[in-house]
Amino acid sequence: DALGTARIPDPTTEGDFCRRFVSPLQIECLHDAIDEARLNVWDKQPDVFFQQATIDMDGHLVGTHGECKGGMDIAYDGTWGYHVLLLSLAETGEVLRLVNRSGNRPSHEGAAAECDRVIDLCRRSGFRRIVLRGDTDFSQTGNLDRWDGDGVVFHFGYDAAPNLIEIAKNLPKSAWERLKRPPSYEVRTQPRRRPDNVKDGVVRRREFDILKLKSEDVAEFEYRPTKCHQSYRMVVVRKNISVEKGDCRLFDEVRYFFYITND
């Protein structure tokens, strides 16, 4: 009904359709055709829709039980299949680019080129602000200067390298402030008593290691990655974690998480 058709192709016909793609160029042409239709849909949205386009990127492992599928390989966790690169628009959840890769390929491979295509698409549609987001695998420092010069905003996780941890440890006390996260949701009815945590009880009885987050602090400093010609804002979150076993508190552990941005 959604497609306005009397019937949809059976699996044999769908397989025949997929087998007609014999080169990456044909898949790119299909992407371009979808993008042209997408622009027509976006053009019908209200002006507030074009305030910001937040582009999320990530790699997704897609396993398969087949043994004869071309391009499949074994991933870092033992999964046989593919490692798909996915770029999506956070505001709507729609997929903007999808690139199939062998299961043994790194998450960030080819991401910069796909980001450039999506940035161009968003610019053509009239988005006034474009934001790129990704975890530590996507920091892509070789492209940050170029994106910054093009007016693109980026928020990327950054590996906690020893030199960054040392910088964070040497920051003055005045540089840190307590991180207060907003609640994940607002209670719209009467608050209810939380039931007993059965999982926590089992873990303590069997004396497994327990990690309890006690507090979080945040600071920032200027940092220039090796592949960049200018410095950017490095935000660091310091997590104070209590390590427990059963009902005994063993010791406190401090972990650092880094995020680089030009925002």
Side-chain angles (χ1 to χ4, degrees):
D1 290 344
L3 296 174
T5 60
R7 73 191 101 175
I8 59 174
D10 64 24
T12 304
T13 310
E14 291 178 357
D16 178 69
F17 174 79
C18 291
R19 282 191 290 270
R20 292 176 186 273
F21 290 88
V22 296
S23 73
L25 177 61
Q26 291 174 313
I27 297 177
E28 288 297 326
C29 291
L30 177 62
H31 267 300
D32 292 341
I34 294 173
D35 286 343
E36 291 300 324
R38 193 191 313 275
L39 289 174
N40 291 332
V41 175
W42 284 354
D43 188 54
K44 300 180 184 298
Q45 306 309 308
D47 181 69
V48 67
F49 176 80
F50 299 99
Q51 182 174 340
Q52 177 170 303
T54 307
I55 302 166
D56 287 331
M57 60 198 78
D58 203 357
H60 294 266
L61 291 177
V62 181
T64 176
H65 296 294
E67 298 181 351
C68 303
K69 295 184 180 295
M72 65 182 294
D73 210 319
I74 188 168
Y76 67 91
D77 64 350
T79 300
W80 276 99
Y82 304 91
H83 195 178
V84 178
L85 172 64
L86 178 67
L87 273 67
S88 60
L89 184 65
E91 283 75 15
T92 63
E94 61 191 292
V95 175
L96 300 179
R97 301 295 290 186
L98 193 66
V99 181
N100 200 16
R101 306 169 300 185
S102 296
N104 66 331
R105 305 314 304 159
S107 292
H108 65 274
E109 185 175 77
E114 299 304 324
C115 283
D116 290 339
R117 293 187 178 98
V118 172
I119 290 170
D120 180 66
L121 175 69
C122 292
R123 286 260 166 79
R124 288 169 58 195
S125 67
F127 280 100
R128 294 183 287 273
R129 175 180 162 95
I130 299 175
V131 179
L132 302 179
R133 294 195 306 196
D135 61 23
T136 55
D137 287 332
F138 292 90
S139 51
Q140 302 172 96
T141 53
N143 298 280
L144 299 186
D145 286 349
R146 179 171 59 84
W147 283 331
D148 180 67
D150 195 30
V152 176
V153 179
F154 54 80
H155 305 156
F156 289 124
Y158 207 89
D159 285 331
N163 65 316
L164 288 176
I165 294 177
E166 192 64 25
I167 293 174
K169 288 181 176 179
N170 292 325
L171 290 174
K173 278 189 175 182
S174 58
W176 296 93
E177 62 181 66
R178 186 54 50 90
L179 178 59
K180 298 179 180 179
R181 297 184 182 272
S184 56
Y185 63 91
E186 179 183 353
V187 178
R188 299 184 181 275
T189 58
Q190 293 296 325
R192 295 180 296 175
R193 179 181 176 274
R194 186 179 180 86
D196 294 336
N197 192 325
V198 177
K199 180 180 178 181
D200 182 69
V202 173
V203 169
R204 290 186 182 277
R205 283 198 307 272
R206 298 185 181 177
E207 295 190 345
F208 296 139
D209 287 344
I210 304 169
L211 302 180
K212 288 276 189 177
L213 178 63
K214 294 300 182 181
S215 63
E216 293 179 293
D217 301 288
V218 62
E220 62 179 77
F221 54 89
E222 291 293 310
Y223 182 74
R224 184 177 69 83
T226 305
K227 294 182 180 180
C228 295
H229 292 95
Q230 64 184 67
S231 298
Y232 295 104
R233 180 186 179 197
M234 184 69 78
V235 178
V236 53
V237 175
R238 182 178 64 191
K239 294 178 182 283
N240 182 23
I241 300 170
S242 173
V243 181
E244 305 172 0
K245 183 184 288 289
D247 291 323
C248 299
R249 181 175 176 180
L250 301 181
F251 55 88
D252 286 339
E253 180 180 339
V254 176
R255 297 182 184 180
Y256 295 92
F257 295 82
F258 297 89
Y259 308 88
I260 192 168
T261 179
N262 62 345
D263 196 342

